[in-house]
Amino acid sequence: EAQVTQNPRYLITVTGKKLTVTCSQNMNHEYMSWYRQDPGLGLRQIYYSMNVEVTDKGDVPEGYKVSRKEKRNFPLILESPSPNQTSLYFCASSLFWGNYGYTFGSGTRLTVV
Amino acid sequence: AQTVTQSQPEMSVQEAETVTLSCTYDTSESNYYLFWYKQPPSRQMILVIRQEAYKQQNATENRFSVNFQKAAKSFSLKISDSQLGDTAMYFCARTGANNLFFGTGTRLTVIP
Protein backbone atom coordinates (compact mmCIF):
# COMPACT_ATOMS: atom_id res chain seq x y z
CA GLU A 1 0.00 0.00 0.00
CA ALA A 2 1.30 3.42 -0.99
CA GLN A 3 1.65 5.49 2.12
CA VAL A 4 3.55 7.89 4.32
CA THR A 5 4.39 6.30 7.65
CA GLN A 6 4.89 8.61 10.57
CA ASN A 7 5.89 7.60 14.09
CA PRO A 8 5.07 7.93 16.87
CA ARG A 9 1.38 8.80 16.71
CA TYR A 10 1.41 10.33 20.18
CA LEU A 11 4.33 11.63 22.21
CA ILE A 12 4.58 13.36 25.56
CA THR A 13 8.00 14.66 26.52
CA VAL A 14 9.67 17.11 28.86
CA THR A 15 11.25 20.42 27.99
CA GLY A 16 14.77 20.04 26.65
CA LYS A 17 14.75 16.32 25.95
CA LYS A 18 15.78 15.69 22.34
CA LEU A 19 13.32 13.77 20.21
CA THR A 20 12.90 12.57 16.65
CA VAL A 21 9.70 12.02 14.72
CA THR A 22 10.25 9.62 11.85
CA CYS A 23 8.69 9.83 8.40
CA SER A 24 9.03 7.30 5.61
CA GLN A 25 7.32 7.03 2.23
CA ASN A 26 7.23 4.06 -0.14
CA MET A 27 6.14 5.88 -3.30
CA ASN A 28 9.56 6.99 -4.58
CA HIS A 29 8.50 10.60 -4.09
CA GLU A 30 11.09 13.30 -4.55
CA TYR A 31 9.42 16.01 -2.48
CA MET A 32 8.83 15.74 1.27
CA SER A 33 7.75 18.28 3.82
CA TRP A 34 6.87 18.77 7.48
CA TYR A 35 3.92 20.81 8.75
CA ARG A 36 2.59 21.71 12.13
CA GLN A 37 -1.12 22.22 12.72
CA ASP A 38 -2.36 24.57 15.42
CA PRO A 39 -5.95 25.64 16.14
CA GLY A 40 -6.91 28.76 14.25
CA LEU A 41 -3.69 28.74 12.25
CA GLY A 42 -4.17 25.88 9.82
CA LEU A 43 -1.06 24.00 8.71
CA ARG A 44 2.27 25.75 8.44
CA GLN A 45 5.37 24.44 6.76
CA ILE A 46 8.42 23.75 8.95
CA TYR A 47 10.93 22.35 6.45
CA TYR A 48 10.80 20.89 3.00
CA SER A 49 13.03 18.80 0.77
CA MET A 50 12.81 18.99 -3.01
CA ASN A 51 15.02 15.89 -3.29
CA VAL A 52 17.93 14.30 -1.44
CA GLU A 53 20.15 17.19 -2.54
CA VAL A 54 17.96 20.12 -1.54
CA THR A 55 16.45 20.84 1.87
CA ASP A 56 15.32 24.25 3.05
CA LYS A 57 13.38 26.12 5.71
CA GLY A 58 9.67 26.70 5.53
CA ASP A 59 7.66 29.30 7.39
CA VAL A 60 8.28 28.18 10.98
CA PRO A 61 11.69 26.42 11.14
CA GLU A 62 12.95 27.72 14.51
CA GLY A 63 13.68 24.92 16.95
CA TYR A 64 13.57 22.16 14.33
CA LYS A 65 16.05 20.24 12.22
CA VAL A 66 15.55 17.75 9.41
CA SER A 67 17.64 15.25 7.51
CA ARG A 68 17.26 13.73 4.02
CA LYS A 69 20.01 11.14 3.73
CA GLU A 70 17.90 8.91 1.50
CA LYS A 71 14.87 9.50 -0.64
CA ARG A 72 12.30 7.68 1.45
CA ASN A 73 13.09 9.06 4.92
CA PHE A 74 12.70 12.58 6.26
CA PRO A 75 12.93 12.70 10.06
CA LEU A 76 12.03 15.78 12.10
CA ILE A 77 14.37 16.50 14.99
CA LEU A 78 13.66 18.68 18.00
CA GLU A 79 17.00 19.20 19.72
CA SER A 80 15.59 20.98 22.77
CA PRO A 81 11.79 20.90 22.74
CA SER A 82 9.85 23.69 24.40
CA PRO A 83 6.15 23.93 25.34
CA ASN A 84 5.42 26.18 22.34
CA GLN A 85 6.26 23.23 20.12
CA THR A 86 3.26 21.35 21.46
CA SER A 87 1.31 20.73 18.28
CA LEU A 88 0.04 18.23 15.73
CA TYR A 89 2.73 17.42 13.18
CA PHE A 90 2.30 16.06 9.68
CA CYS A 91 4.79 14.70 7.22
CA ALA A 92 3.78 14.88 3.56
CA SER A 93 5.25 13.74 0.28
CA SER A 94 4.64 14.30 -3.41
CA LEU A 95 6.14 12.94 -6.60
CA PHE A 96 7.37 16.44 -7.32
CA TRP A 97 6.48 19.73 -5.73
CA GLY A 98 3.61 21.65 -7.22
CA ASN A 99 0.89 20.10 -9.25
CA TYR A 100 0.49 16.82 -7.46
CA GLY A 101 -1.60 16.41 -4.39
CA TYR A 102 0.39 15.65 -1.30
CA THR A 103 0.10 12.35 0.55
CA PHE A 104 0.08 12.94 4.28
CA GLY A 105 1.16 10.79 7.17
CA SER A 106 -1.29 10.08 9.97
CA GLY A 107 0.09 12.82 12.19
CA THR A 108 2.01 12.99 15.47
CA ARG A 109 0.42 14.64 18.46
CA LEU A 110 3.33 16.09 20.45
CA THR A 111 2.97 17.49 23.95
CA VAL A 112 5.95 19.19 25.62
CA VAL A 113 5.56 19.73 29.36
CA ALA B 1 1.32 38.02 1.36
CA GLN B 2 0.90 34.34 0.74
CA THR B 3 -2.49 33.96 2.39
CA VAL B 4 -5.40 31.64 2.04
CA THR B 5 -8.59 32.75 3.76
CA GLN B 6 -11.49 30.61 4.85
CA SER B 7 -14.03 32.99 6.35
CA GLN B 8 -16.41 30.35 7.72
CA PRO B 9 -14.95 28.72 10.84
CA GLU B 10 -17.96 26.44 11.24
CA MET B 11 -20.85 25.32 9.09
CA SER B 12 -23.62 22.78 9.31
CA VAL B 13 -25.84 21.12 6.73
CA GLN B 14 -28.70 18.69 6.79
CA GLU B 15 -28.04 15.25 5.44
CA ALA B 16 -28.73 15.03 1.66
CA GLU B 17 -28.58 18.80 1.26
CA THR B 18 -25.94 20.88 -0.53
CA VAL B 19 -23.36 23.09 1.16
CA THR B 20 -20.70 25.46 -0.17
CA LEU B 21 -17.46 26.24 1.64
CA SER B 22 -15.69 29.47 0.74
CA CYS B 23 -12.02 30.11 0.11
CA THR B 24 -10.14 33.12 -1.19
CA TYR B 25 -6.42 33.47 -1.68
CA ASP B 26 -3.71 35.91 -2.53
CA THR B 27 -1.00 35.30 -5.12
CA SER B 28 1.10 37.11 -7.67
CA GLU B 29 1.82 33.94 -9.62
CA SER B 30 0.09 33.17 -12.90
CA ASN B 31 0.22 29.42 -12.56
CA TYR B 32 -0.49 27.52 -9.39
CA TYR B 33 -2.61 24.71 -8.03
CA LEU B 34 -5.46 24.72 -5.56
CA PHE B 35 -6.64 21.93 -3.31
CA TRP B 36 -9.32 21.05 -0.84
CA TYR B 37 -8.35 18.64 1.92
CA LYS B 38 -10.67 16.89 4.35
CA GLN B 39 -9.61 16.11 7.91
CA PRO B 40 -12.09 13.81 9.71
CA PRO B 41 -11.85 13.15 13.46
CA SER B 42 -9.23 10.50 12.70
CA ARG B 43 -7.08 13.58 11.78
CA GLN B 44 -5.90 12.01 8.53
CA MET B 45 -5.50 14.59 5.75
CA ILE B 46 -7.40 13.41 2.68
CA LEU B 47 -7.22 15.08 -0.73
CA VAL B 48 -10.74 15.88 -1.89
CA ILE B 49 -10.24 17.78 -5.12
CA ARG B 50 -7.56 19.60 -7.11
CA GLN B 51 -7.75 22.52 -9.54
CA GLU B 52 -5.07 23.76 -11.92
CA ALA B 53 -5.17 27.53 -12.19
CA TYR B 54 -4.55 27.61 -15.93
CA LYS B 55 -7.63 25.46 -16.54
CA GLN B 56 -10.90 27.35 -16.67
CA GLN B 57 -13.05 24.27 -16.29
CA ASN B 58 -14.09 23.62 -12.72
CA ALA B 59 -12.90 20.35 -11.23
CA THR B 60 -15.42 17.72 -10.15
CA GLU B 61 -15.03 14.54 -8.12
CA ASN B 62 -18.31 12.69 -7.62
CA ARG B 63 -20.34 14.76 -5.10
CA PHE B 64 -17.59 17.36 -4.75
CA SER B 65 -17.14 20.25 -7.16
CA VAL B 66 -15.45 23.62 -7.12
CA ASN B 67 -16.30 27.08 -8.32
CA PHE B 68 -12.98 28.55 -9.40
CA GLN B 69 -12.95 32.27 -10.15
CA LYS B 70 -9.36 33.12 -11.05
CA ALA B 71 -9.80 36.87 -11.40
CA ALA B 72 -11.51 37.05 -8.03
CA LYS B 73 -9.00 34.57 -6.51
CA SER B 74 -11.87 32.51 -5.19
CA PHE B 75 -12.05 28.72 -4.88
CA SER B 76 -15.20 27.44 -3.20
CA LEU B 77 -16.10 23.80 -2.59
CA LYS B 78 -19.61 22.51 -3.14
CA ILE B 79 -20.67 19.26 -1.52
CA SER B 80 -23.86 17.79 -2.94
CA ASP B 81 -26.06 15.17 -1.27
CA SER B 82 -24.19 15.62 2.02
CA GLN B 83 -23.53 12.46 3.98
CA LEU B 84 -22.73 11.89 7.64
CA GLY B 85 -19.24 10.82 6.64
CA ASP B 86 -18.63 14.31 5.26
CA THR B 87 -18.44 15.65 8.81
CA ALA B 88 -14.87 16.93 9.07
CA MET B 89 -12.58 19.91 9.00
CA TYR B 90 -11.99 21.15 5.45
CA PHE B 91 -8.85 22.99 4.43
CA CYS B 92 -8.29 25.01 1.29
CA ALA B 93 -4.68 25.16 0.08
CA ARG B 94 -2.64 26.80 -2.64
CA THR B 95 0.83 26.02 -3.99
CA GLY B 96 3.54 28.65 -3.93
CA ALA B 97 7.27 29.04 -3.15
CA ASN B 98 7.96 25.31 -2.67
CA ASN B 99 5.17 25.33 -0.16
CA LEU B 100 1.52 24.48 0.22
CA PHE B 101 -0.27 27.35 1.95
CA PHE B 102 -3.31 26.38 3.97
CA GLY B 103 -6.31 28.27 5.20
CA THR B 104 -7.43 28.03 8.81
CA GLY B 105 -10.13 25.51 8.00
CA THR B 106 -13.92 25.19 8.08
CA ARG B 107 -15.47 22.68 10.45
CA LEU B 108 -18.44 21.09 8.70
CA THR B 109 -21.08 19.14 10.58
CA VAL B 110 -23.65 17.07 8.71
CA ILE B 111 -26.85 16.79 10.72
CA PRO B 112 -28.94 13.61 10.40
Side-chain angles (χ1 to χ4, degrees):
Chain A
E1 179 187 356
Q3 60 184 357
V4 176
T5 302
Q6 200 179 321
N7 283 298
R9 190 163 171 82
Y10 297 92
L11 180 60
I12 301 175
T13 191
V14 296
T15 299
K17 185 177 182 180
K18 181 180 179 180
L19 65 92
T20 299
V21 183
T22 63
C23 175
S24 180
Q25 50 93 5
N26 63 359
M27 297 165 282
N28 204 36
H29 284 175
E30 293 288 342
Y31 179 91
M32 298 185 75
S33 183
W34 277 101
Y35 289 85
R36 61 177 287 173
Q37 181 181 356
D38 301 291
L41 297 177
L43 284 80
R44 295 176 293 166
Q45 189 184 60
I46 302 170
Y47 269 93
Y48 68 92
S49 175
M50 300 294 282
N51 52 56
V52 293
E53 304 290 335
V54 179
T55 298
D56 207 348
K57 298 176 181 178
D59 298 318
V60 287
E62 291 76 23
Y64 305 95
K65 288 175 57 178
V66 292
S67 170
R68 189 92 185 269
K69 296 179 181 177
E70 51 189 339
K71 184 184 284 190
R72 63 182 177 180
N73 293 326
F74 192 47
L76 179 69
I77 303 158
L78 284 71
E79 294 271 2
S80 183
S82 62
N84 64 12
Q85 292 179 297
T86 292
S87 186
L88 177 59
Y89 292 86
F90 285 98
C91 180
S93 75
S94 179
L95 185 59
F96 300 104
W97 174 82
N99 59 342
Y100 298 89
Y102 290 18
T103 301
F104 282 82
S106 55
T108 296
R109 172 72 69 186
L110 173 65
T111 302
V112 183
V113 298
Chain B
Q2 307 265 29
T3 57
V4 177
T5 302
Q6 294 179 250
S7 58
Q8 306 149 313
E10 295 187 11
M11 295 188 71
S12 62
V13 62
Q14 291 290 139
E15 193 175 6
E17 297 294 310
T18 296
V19 65
T20 299
L21 280 58
S22 301
C23 173
T24 58
Y25 57 91
D26 188 13
T27 183
S28 57
E29 299 174 25
S30 59
N31 194 23
Y32 49 90
Y33 297 84
L34 297 159
F35 304 90
W36 278 98
Y37 279 90
K38 170 185 178 181
Q39 187 179 47
S42 67
R43 82 186 188 204
Q44 182 69 44
M45 293 290 286
I46 302 166
L47 178 63
V48 174
I49 201 165
R50 181 184 75 179
Q51 174 78 42
E52 300 169 71
Y54 64 88
K55 288 188 176 179
Q56 293 187 347
Q57 185 174 3
N58 290 323
T60 299
E61 289 287 343
N62 301 314
R63 298 184 294 108
F64 298 88
S65 61
V66 299
N67 183 4
F68 174 48
Q69 302 290 327
K70 189 172 184 178
K73 297 192 174 103
S74 172
F75 182 60
S76 60
L77 175 69
K78 185 172 81 171
I79 305 174
S80 303
D81 185 26
S82 297
Q83 301 175 0
L84 297 179
D86 295 333
T87 291
M89 181 75 87
Y90 287 82
F91 290 98
C92 176
R94 175 185 70 76
T95 56
N98 301 322
N99 198 345
L100 191 60
F101 296 99
F102 287 84
T104 53
T106 296
R107 185 173 302 280
L108 176 68
T109 301
V110 180
I111 302 168

